[in-house]
Each structure stands twice: as structure tokens, then as C-alpha cells.
Amino acid sequence: MSFIGSIGSFIMQPLYYAISVVLVGFHTVFGKLFGEASGAAWALSIVGLTIVIRAALIPLFVKQIKASRNMQLLQPQVKELQKKYGHDREKLAQETMALYKDAGTNPFASCMPILLQMPIFLALFRLLDHAAKRGDGRGILSDEKATQFAHSELFGVQISKTFIGADGDTGVMIMAAFFVLAMLVTTFTTQRQLMTKNMPESAMTGPYAQQQKMLLYVLPVVFAVGGVAFPIGVLIYWTVSNLWTMGQQFYVIRRNPAPGTPAFKAKQQRDQRKGIAPSADPSAATATEEAPPTHQRVQPKRQSKSQRKKNTGPNKNNP
């Protein structure tokens, strides 16, 4: 067990240093404004750390949105494959993955920002947890700073405390419950925003839609159950991260919605009110291209009286 723990500690050391550098850097600034030992300085330092991390993950978030959008648009084709190869699971899986490959998307790409955040989240949790329980620093966070964090208070509540470790302290329980609830609501709202605003009707049924609906209700519950064991400082990080995600997703959906979605129609209406030519809906264009062409009767060219006589003259002379 100690050998495994040593390996884990070796892997986490770079993250401890990266997180502590940003955290201590912000604390140096906010400590001069609010006092080095104040909870406000440490809480704002955690907020600053969150913003830096999420700003660094913007390229991955853009890839996540594109991957999710492509997955939605491919759902009609996935359904056709399910009808065709529903009796052969292996063939269905092969054809589905080939479809994703040809479209340049990946069902796992939408999970990358969350997966990459988890080691950072774990490192922050252990960093703050060690500081709170033992007064031990990690990275460039000294033991003195760690002890200072452990005893710092925000509105009279130690931000190193947890809901289940409140020891009957009502203030700790109320603040921890507030951030757990905020974490739950922001997670649910972000996922629901994606489903109701940026999913076409064709994508609202099938396995992918069922997966999204399951995540809509499961993820908030998982975070809420786990959140009661997180220090308030970690809850601040996760809540701010969720708010960032919600705002960033709202901006992307509003500016670049997926075709055939309520958000796309809303953007067309906004463009019309501004006098901007609305963007064409590719789904509508596809339907137009597939529609059979209509043959119109060609009207005869108008001719003058002399031309008509000239054209009919030889016919009259024929016996």
C-alpha cells in the first residue's frame, strides 16, 4: 500500500506545484487587500485559480462543443445503422465507429474537459485537505501558509471545514450546504441548457439522448453526495468552475448553435431583427436537395406576324 501511495504522490507532485504556484500568487495579491490570514483572501485565491484553469481548458471546451454538436447531427444516420444492423451488435459497432471517424468526431471527446479536470480537482482537494488537517504544505505552499489557510474564516466559517466534519457547527453546515446546492443546481442547469437549446429533435431519441438524459439527473446527485465530504474551499472551486462552464456554454450556443435546434431558430430571429441575412439551415438545405425536381412547361417563344407567315408559308404550298 505504501508503494502504491508513493507512486501516487510522485504523479501528483507536478500538479501540487502547478496549483500551489497559482494559488500562492493570487494569495499574495489578495492578502495585501484583505489580510493574509483572512478567509476572503484565500477564497478569492481559489476563485482566481479556477479562472486560470478554466481559461487554459478553453481549447478543449471548444472541441467538446464541436464533438457534441457533430454527435447530435449524426443521430439520424446512427438510427439508420441501428435499423440496418440491429441484429448484429459487432457490425453495428464497427459501422457506427466508422461513421464517427468519417465525420471527424468521437463520442469520448465530450468528456475530455471533465476527465482532465479530475486530477486537478483531486490535487486541489488533497492540497487543501492536508493543509486543513495536518497543516502540511504541498508544492510551494509552505507549512506556515497551510496552517494559515486551515484557520482562515469567511463570514466566521473556516473554509477548510466540511459538512460531515462540521462537529455541530451550524455556520459550517449552512455554508457547505449552500455550496453543495449551488454545485448541484449549476451542474443540472448546464446539462439541461445543452439538451433543450442545442439539440435537434432528431437527437432527442435514441441511445445518445438516453445517455444525456441519464447524465442530466445522475451527475448532480453524484456531486451532491460527494460534496458533503469536500472542504468548503474545494466546493468554492467546483461551483465557480460550473458557473464558468454554464456561461461559456451559453455564449457558444448563442453565437454558434447547432442547425435545426431551438437555439439556431432563435439566432435566425435575432439576425432578422438586426437586418442581418439569416444563416441557412443545412438540414433544410439537405431536404431541398433531396426533393424531386419539378418540370415546368416551356412556353413557346413569341414571334412576329411576318415570322409566322414565313414559317407557315412553305406548308401552305405543299400539295
Side-chain angles (χ1 to χ4, degrees), residues 6-311:
S6 299
I7 294 177
S9 178
F10 175 78
I11 294 174
M12 296 296 287
Q13 280 301 322
L15 288 176
Y16 289 145
Y17 274 97
I19 290 173
S20 61
V21 164
V22 179
L23 187 66
V24 172
F26 276 110
H27 182 260
T28 301
V29 176
F30 292 119
K32 294 179 180 179
L33 297 175
F34 301 98
E36 291 187 356
S38 69
W42 284 107
L44 289 174
S45 299
I46 293 171
V47 172
L49 171 68
T50 309
I51 293 173
V52 169
I53 292 173
R54 293 311 309 267
L57 293 176
I58 285 178
L60 287 175
F61 180 82
V62 173
K63 289 184 179 180
Q64 176 195 18
I65 289 293
K66 290 182 178 179
S68 179
R69 174 175 175 169
N70 290 337
M71 288 287 293
Q72 295 163 17
L73 297 178
L74 288 175
Q75 287 311 295
Q77 299 178 53
V78 172
K79 290 180 182 178
E80 291 299 323
L81 291 177
Q82 291 171 349
K83 292 179 182 178
K84 188 175 181 179
Y85 302 107
H87 60 284
D88 189 344
R89 288 182 173 272
E90 184 177 354
K91 182 66 174 178
L92 175 61
Q94 293 175 354
E95 292 296 328
T96 303
M97 293 308 298
L99 176 64
Y100 291 153
K101 185 177 180 180
D102 292 340
T105 188
N106 188 328
F108 303 104
S110 59
C111 303
M112 286 303 294
I114 294 178
L115 293 178
L116 287 177
Q117 274 195 94
M118 292 313 295
I120 299 172
F121 177 76
L122 179 61
L124 178 63
F125 172 78
R126 296 191 64 180
L127 185 78
L128 300 183
D129 190 58
H130 277 279
K133 293 180 178 178
R134 306 175 188 176
D136 294 339
R138 292 286 188 273
I140 69 166
L141 183 70
S142 64
D143 292 347
E144 181 183 356
K145 291 286 186 184
T147 303
Q148 189 182 83
F149 166 79
H151 295 91
S152 63
E153 294 184 352
L154 181 65
F155 302 117
V157 174
Q158 290 187 10
I159 61 175
S160 59
K161 293 287 188 177
T162 67
F163 183 89
I164 59 177
D167 296 328
D169 190 326
T170 306
V172 171
M173 296 176 67
I174 291 175
M175 183 172 287
F178 170 79
F179 280 110
V180 168
L181 182 62
M183 190 169 60
L184 187 152
V185 170
T186 51
T187 302
F188 179 84
T189 304
T190 302
Q191 191 67 21
R192 190 174 185 275
Q193 180 187 59
L194 180 64
M195 292 186 63
T196 59
K197 298 293 185 181
N198 207 41
M199 275 195 179
E201 293 183 4
S202 58
M204 296 304 292
T205 57
Y208 182 73
Q210 294 302 320
Q211 177 187 1
Q212 294 295 317
K213 291 178 181 178
M214 181 179 68
L215 291 176
L216 177 65
Y217 296 101
V218 172
L219 281 181
V221 174
V222 170
F223 290 139
V225 172
V228 297
F230 296 158
I232 292 174
V234 176
L235 294 176
I236 292 173
Y237 166 84
W238 203 252
T239 301
V240 174
S241 181
N242 282 355
L243 289 172
W244 176 285
T245 301
M246 189 165 59
Q248 188 170 282
Q249 182 174 273
F250 175 81
Y251 176 81
V252 172
I253 292 175
R254 182 179 176 85
R255 296 294 299 271
N256 190 27
T261 62
F264 188 88
K265 295 176 182 177
K267 185 177 184 300
Q268 286 184 320
Q269 293 174 357
R270 291 195 303 271
D271 290 342
Q272 288 177 350
R273 287 195 297 267
K274 295 177 182 178
I276 303 174
S279 304
D281 190 337
S283 59
T286 304
T288 304
E289 292 173 1
E290 294 177 352
T294 56
H295 298 281
Q296 297 181 348
R297 181 175 177 269
V298 180
Q299 297 292 333
K301 186 177 180 181
R302 296 186 65 180
Q303 297 178 332
S304 64
K305 186 175 182 181
S306 60
Q307 287 176 329
R308 287 197 301 270
K309 286 182 178 182
K310 185 178 180 180
N311 292 335

